Amino acid sequence: MVKRKSEALDDNPSVEPPSRIRKMAAQPATTTIDLTPKESQLKDLLLDTAKFIDRSGKLKEPVVLRWAGGWVRDKLLGIGSHDIDTTINVMTGEAFASKLCDLCEQPDTIKKHAIAEADIGNLHKIARNPEKSKHLETTTIKLFGYDVDFVNLRKETYAEDSRNPQMEFGTAEEDALRRDATVNALFYNLNTGKVEDFTTGLADMKARLIRTPLEPFQTFMDDPLRVLRLVRFASRLEFTIDPAAEEVMGDSRVLDALRLKISRERVGVEIEKMLKGNHPRRSLEYIDKLGLYHTIFTDPTCSDIPVPDIPNWKLVYNLLDSLRQNKTPGSVYDVLVRSDEAAYYAWVLAAICPWETINSEARRNGKGKAPPPFGTLAAREGIKATNKLCELITAAHNNKAEIMALVTAVSENAQFITERDRFGMAIRRWDSRAGHWRLQVLYALLVEAMEALAPASEESIGQDEFLRNWQRFLDHLQELDVMEAPSLKRLIDGTQLAKALGVKPGKWMAQALEVCVAWQLRHPEATDPAGAIEEVQSRRAELGIPEK
């Protein structure tokens, strides 16, 4: 029934931990948890596995199992979770999972626990990978619909220049103390059916407080990634961060350690989780408040990269959140942010906005390809943004001036604003390189907001008045029916155009086809391309089309 990966297990894995495991000094605070039927089914199976191991007589003390960390926290908050970390006191996770597999192949066990074929998945060993925050091997298996990880209780010791700890077997108390936050240091003891709190987790849950189990400065110096993790949990759970932790999170020594010890991939993973969560504004607010911006959103490979001004950045993330919270049909957010991916990209763009205060054009030397904007560098090198996202940031920067010019034209009722082809072709240009033209418009809006809504600005206006111009612009695009201009189906393709002109395709073709599309935008009811061909004919010399 259980399907094993060849890499996962030996037949006789070592199960005895080092002898220096100590007894816990005091009884932990406790409470209880009500389990669902599936959770109870899983618990019973794991306890039977522990008894199966105990009966072998190979261990000096009984197996004690605990569910740890996030599952306990979320369960106490009434949040469902399908990921369960299971800790074992006297053997490795791999060794325990091996015995679990053996037990699940026995007919009596299958019958007793009503195990169906789909209830037990493949067993995997996840190798130690410090760069991915995996400091110890874990073994994972799908059980009754849950992703269950198995690992032994452990304690950690850190070298001064590394966030990768030396791992040893430990007690439940030592395991709790090594964790990033007290609310993540709770255990549910399967043997007793009680929650165990070796820190202040239960009290901090009640107070809605994110606190480190040990002294915060050393906690962050040991593993500076915890700074970002605490921001993420505080934002996600809508908790506050302990003032003692806040006081040192932006300490220059902690920020230097964050630059030295933490890979940018790991920084990017934490930022992505924040911005894809339910409260991205709170995450950016913490980054702003705690002085983390210049450590996160920068190019650490460049020693002379400038530092953007961020006093008005709060206007950007607060405005984006306001647009999101007040989304209605046809509103700015509704029109410009149309998917979960777009929502994430929107928050990254909001994070990058301060870089528009730096003049990127000064870096051009007039030769070759222009260097990427500073905002693109900050995303690419600071949080290891994908190529797709970096291309969007570059396009948003490059097209910002044209977007803002058209917004101004509509607000001032310029004569040309009825020209459907002018707007449609502009949208097609914005979309042609990186897609997401709507997000490029949003970026221009957010960048303008930094100045227009700044209290100290001579031209400062209210948010409602500011947004009216942008809403008017989007309404105008709707009226012109150009929102889907990038996907406009051409009436004529290159082969047909060359045949109609009686010449072979050449370099002139791309520009000639754009003339056809512009004609098509001016004549939305047309189904015959004859008029487009005629316009290309009339501009034959201008387009460099050879004679027949």
Side-chain angles (χ1 to χ4, degrees), residues 60-85:
K60 294 179 180 179
E61 55 184 288
V63 174
V64 178
L65 303 174
R66 293 173 172 90
W67 288 340
W71 178 87
V72 184
R73 178 200 66 223
D74 289 348
K75 192 73 177 175
L76 290 171
L77 290 171
I79 302 171
S81 177
H82 288 278
D83 296 316
I84 302 179
D85 294 337

Side-chain angles (χ1 to χ4, degrees), residues 399-415:
N399 294 322
K400 174 173 62 70
E402 183 181 18
I403 291 170
M404 294 173 73
L406 288 179
V407 172
T408 299
V410 172
S411 69
E412 295 177 351
N413 203 29
Q415 289 186 347

Side-chain angles (χ1 to χ4, degrees), residues 124-138:
H124 307 265
K125 184 172 72 174
I126 302 174
R128 181 178 183 273
N129 187 345
E131 292 305 313
K132 300 294 185 182
S133 279
K134 289 291 183 184
H135 300 306
L136 192 71
E137 281 187 352
T138 60

Side-chain angles (χ1 to χ4, degrees), residues 282-412:
R282 286 176 61 90
S283 296
L284 295 185
E285 183 178 41
Y286 270 122
I287 288 170
D288 191 4
K289 172 185 174 183
L290 298 172
L292 307 178
Y293 186 90
H294 300 304
T295 301
I296 297 170
F297 299 105
T298 187
D299 180 358
T301 67
C302 181
S303 59
D304 60 350
I305 191 169
V307 176
D309 294 328
I310 62 171
N312 295 332
W313 183 40
K314 66 173 72 71
L315 297 171
V316 173
Y317 56 73
N318 285 334
L319 176 58
L320 180 55
D321 191 59
S322 176
L323 293 173
R324 180 178 72 125
Q325 297 292 344
N326 295 290
K327 174 183 174 181
T328 57
S331 66
V332 170
Y333 194 89
D334 181 60
V335 171
L336 298 181
V337 183
R338 299 169 64 84
S339 67
D340 289 342
E341 179 186 61
Y344 166 60
Y345 285 178
W347 283 105
V348 175
L349 291 171
I352 294 302
C353 277
W355 282 100
E356 289 295 337
T357 64
I358 304 291
N359 182 13
S360 293
E361 298 303 314
R363 299 158 62 228
R364 303 189 68 158
N365 58 17
K367 299 179 181 179
K369 186 178 179 181
F374 283 123
T376 302
L377 288 176
R380 187 182 72 196
E381 303 299 336
I383 60 173
K384 292 300 179 182
T386 63
N387 290 338
K388 181 180 178 181
L389 181 49
C390 288
E391 287 175 357
L392 170 59
I393 295 170
T394 299
H397 169 83
N398 292 339
N399 294 322
K400 174 173 62 70
E402 183 181 18
I403 291 170
M404 294 173 73
L406 288 179
V407 172
T408 299
V410 172
S411 69
E412 295 177 351

Side-chain angles (χ1 to χ4, degrees), residues 501-508 537 540-541 543-548:
L501 297 174
V503 294
K504 292 181 179 180
K507 294 181 179 180
W508 55 269
Q537 283 277 25
R540 195 165 189 141
L543 296 171
I545 302 174
E547 297 297 328
K548 296 180 181 180

